[in-house]
Amino acid sequence: MPVVSNFRTTLSRIALGASAGLVAGFTALAVAELVAGLIRPAAGPLTVVGGAVIDRTPAAVKDFAIRTFGEDDKTVLQLGILAVLALIAAALGVVALRHRRTGSCGILVFGAVGAVAALSRPDSEGSGDVLPSLAGALAGALALYLLAGRAAPASTTEEGASGGGWNRRGFLVAAGATAVGATAAGFLGRYLTGRQAQGATASRQGLVLPAPASPAPAVPQGVQLKIPGITPFTTPNGDFYRVDTALVVPKVDAGSWRLRIHGKGVKQARTYTLDDLLARPLIERDITLTCVSNEVGGPYAGNARWLGVPLSELLAECGVKPPSAGGGADQLVARSVDGMTLGSPVEDVMDGRDALLAVGMNGEPLPFDHGFPVRMVVPGLYGYVSACKWIEDIELTTFDAYDPYWVKRKWARKAPIKTQSRIDTPKPFGRPGAGTVVVAGVAWAQHRGITRVQIRVDDGPWQDADLAAQDTVDTWRQWSYRWQATPGGHNLTVRATDSTGQVQTEQRARTVPDGASGWHSVFVTVT
């Protein structure tokens, strides 16, 4: 059975080659992790390549990823990158059985790609950022070269030795030793990365927030309805939505953090420390934030109690005036430590609303996921034009002179939050019993406030819902409606009206370029 024997031999060779490639690829990533832990964790190849992929992904695809995978979108991206790398590494391993140098050079090419991606990142700190990718590629290429030599018959290697046969035992020993060494390098890299973050963690744990000079007004009774399934009025920090482009959450040491304010209309550039901000009179406000990627009825809205410095006061100290007062800058560009840029209208930031440089969230220092040590919060604007996390720089400029990150990707320059409402209970495709069914949810129109919510059952008339007490115009508002449900399938639809009299539009729009619109509906079957 020579044909069967040859087929088995071929499969065995492919399996050995693919195994060699996978071990080499793992070695490359592990060594890169180690070097990144020694130099700068954000320069690791998975992080820089993943960031480059995010930056070059069309807005519609990003929107699809957020809509489909939610806050797991970054995990899905990283798993996808790892899967692609594994396939390529396996293929290079098979190639290396006959062409060791070619297979090894293939790994070096991917190291070069990682190095280029590292230099292209907006937060790149220079040529040192290429070292993790290059060191990992060199280690992976060397591992593949040696393993391929163990896996291939000596007569098929480029060195031209004759004779041989499969050195399976030698290959398994070499592959096992390489994998163990790579695993140790990877764990050491993770340990070093964790140690670098210890200073930031300790600085957050040791931070004592001062009492606000202007506390938040007491929340009125009746703000929180006692209805099962309704969204809480205050969103716990652990449940607050997170939508950003950071594959690795920045961990900034509070002691070394600095904020620079400069640009057009600034009489003298100033730099502030966290202690500088904490020494100022702080204000505390309840503010609802909304992500522009929130679909109609979506989860990306949350309400928290924020503590911070009024941003308008800092700007005024630096000599900044809004355009309505003769100021030359109409755009405030906020930059985060990871290079993200967000552009806010200067007029909105300085029009008297409670725009903050926030240091606290729900009674504690900002969580790392939400921007520790300092972030921007501007009521009434979608996050992509206002809510800069991990902020370190504010530049005053004009909309004509500069396009921030999201504007370059076809999102609108200005994005006030649209009036929206959502049904929290009953859930879509729920099966409530006939009789009185409480329909309830939340509505929001930050900086305008909600004055009316209406419910429609099927194609019937609009009926006024009962509104919970209003905290402020900058927070969402709960509502409820007692529906006398009859058996069968029914479609429930909600709409809201803000304090200007503007009724939430029925016209459906996707999130790009300036936020979703339309009425939220749920279908239920009454039993």
Side-chain angles (χ1 to χ4, degrees):
M1 301 288 288
V3 174
V4 174
S5 178
N6 289 339
F7 179 71
R8 289 176 176 173
T9 300
T10 300
L11 285 180
S12 177
R13 290 178 58 195
I14 291 175
L16 285 171
S19 298
L22 289 172
V23 171
F26 174 62
T27 300
L29 290 177
V31 172
E33 181 90 9
L34 172 60
V35 176
L38 291 168
I39 297 176
R40 197 170 75 91
L46 273 181
T47 301
V48 297
V49 172
V53 170
I54 290 174
D55 289 350
R56 289 159 179 78
T57 300
V61 177
K62 289 181 182 177
D63 187 53
F64 168 80
I66 294 172
R67 186 170 65 251
T68 304
F69 304 113
E71 296 183 22
D72 295 325
D73 59 335
K74 301 171 190 64
T75 301
V76 171
L77 171 63
Q78 290 178 313
L79 290 175
I81 292 174
L82 286 173
V84 171
L85 290 177
L87 290 173
I88 294 173
L92 290 174
V94 174
V95 170
L97 291 180
R98 288 188 174 274
H99 306 286
R100 292 166 72 185
R101 293 191 182 94
T102 300
S104 298
C105 285
I107 291 183
L108 293 176
V109 168
F110 279 90
V113 171
V116 171
L119 291 176
S120 72
R121 304 303 302 138
D123 62 335
S124 173
E125 295 185 0
S127 57
D129 283 357
V130 308
L131 293 179
S133 293
L134 294 183
L138 285 171
L142 178 61
L144 181 57
Y145 188 84
L146 295 176
L147 291 175
R150 294 282 188 177
S155 60
T156 65
T157 62
E158 292 174 326
E159 283 65 35
S162 59
W166 304 107
N167 187 359
R168 288 181 175 83
R169 181 175 180 181
F171 170 78
L172 292 175
V173 170
T178 302
V180 169
T183 300
F187 275 117
L188 180 57
R190 288 295 176 95
Y191 170 76
L192 292 172
T193 297
R195 287 200 62 181
Q196 288 199 27
Q198 284 180 357
T201 301
S203 71
R204 182 180 182 275
Q205 291 174 343
L207 181 61
V208 177
L209 297 175
S214 173
V219 176
Q221 289 187 352
V223 160
Q224 175 66 58
L225 299 178
K226 297 179 180 180
I227 298 174
I230 198 169
T231 299
F233 176 74
T234 298
T235 309
N237 290 354
D239 296 335
F240 209 95
Y241 73 89
R242 179 196 163 202
V243 177
D244 53 53
T245 64
L247 287 175
V248 176
V249 174
K251 293 194 173 182
V252 182
D253 191 307
S256 61
W257 177 85
R258 299 291 185 272
L259 172 69
R260 181 173 180 244
I261 299 179
H262 61 105
K264 191 178 182 68
V266 175
K267 291 182 179 179
Q268 183 176 358
R270 295 194 181 187
T271 300
Y272 297 89
T273 67
L274 182 59
D275 286 340
D276 292 334
L277 298 187
L278 295 178
R280 302 174 66 92
L282 304 183
I283 67 173
E284 183 183 60
R285 298 292 184 266
D286 293 328
I287 299 172
T288 299
L289 301 186
T290 307
C291 180
V292 74
S293 294
N294 197 48
E295 296 280 351
V296 172
Y300 302 125
N303 184 62
R305 175 159 290 188
W306 306 94
L307 176 71
V309 176
L311 179 54
S312 60
E313 292 182 5
L314 284 183
L315 295 176
E317 285 181 7
C318 295
V320 178
K321 296 180 180 180
S324 61
D330 61 5
Q331 179 179 210
L332 179 157
V333 175
R335 290 182 173 84
S336 72
V337 298
D338 66 348
M340 172 58 66
T341 56
L342 305 181
S344 307
V346 174
E347 193 70 47
D348 291 349
V349 171
M350 301 187 74
D351 67 358
R353 72 184 73 194
D354 291 317
L356 301 176
L357 286 178
V359 297
M361 180 180 183
N362 288 333
E364 64 178 79
L366 292 171
F368 286 112
D369 280 358
H370 297 292
F372 181 84
V374 181
R375 67 170 294 165
M376 273 180 60
V377 172
V378 183
L381 302 181
Y382 281 118
Y384 86 99
V385 294
S386 66
C388 184
K389 296 187 284 190
W390 316 293
I391 189 172
E392 68 171 4
D393 185 272
I394 291 176
E395 180 182 2
L396 281 301
T397 182
T398 65
F399 285 104
D400 290 338
Y402 184 81
D403 284 341
Y405 181 93
W406 292 110
V407 176
K408 292 177 181 177
R409 289 155 180 81
K410 308 305 180 184
W411 293 78
R413 288 180 172 179
K414 300 181 181 181
I417 293 174
K418 298 177 180 179
T419 301
Q420 286 288 298
S421 53
R422 183 180 72 205
I423 298 172
D424 289 337
T425 182
K427 299 297 183 185
F429 306 109
R431 299 179 67 84
T436 301
V437 174
V438 178
V439 184
V442 290
W444 58 86
Q446 291 91 310
H447 207 55
R448 301 184 303 280
I450 295 295
T451 58
R452 189 182 192 186
V453 172
Q454 295 173 295
I455 285 288
R456 186 176 68 187
V457 180
D458 300 322
D459 294 323
W462 288 102
Q463 302 287 335
D464 284 336
D466 295 321
L467 293 177
Q470 177 176 271
D471 183 12
T472 74
V473 295
D474 291 333
T475 60
W476 56 16
R477 195 169 186 180
Q478 295 182 347
W479 57 266
S480 65
Y481 175 76
R482 296 176 67 82
W483 170 42
Q484 298 305 313
T486 57
H490 298 283
N491 200 55
L492 306 175
T493 305
V494 64
R495 70 180 184 186
T497 303
D498 64 29
S499 64
T500 70
Q502 185 70 41
V503 179
Q504 179 180 345
T505 180
E506 179 184 10
Q507 183 175 357
R508 277 278 180 174
R510 301 303 297 268
T511 58
V512 182
D514 62 353
S517 66
W519 296 336
H520 184 219
S521 297
V522 298
F523 181 82
V524 298
T525 301
V526 178
T527 58

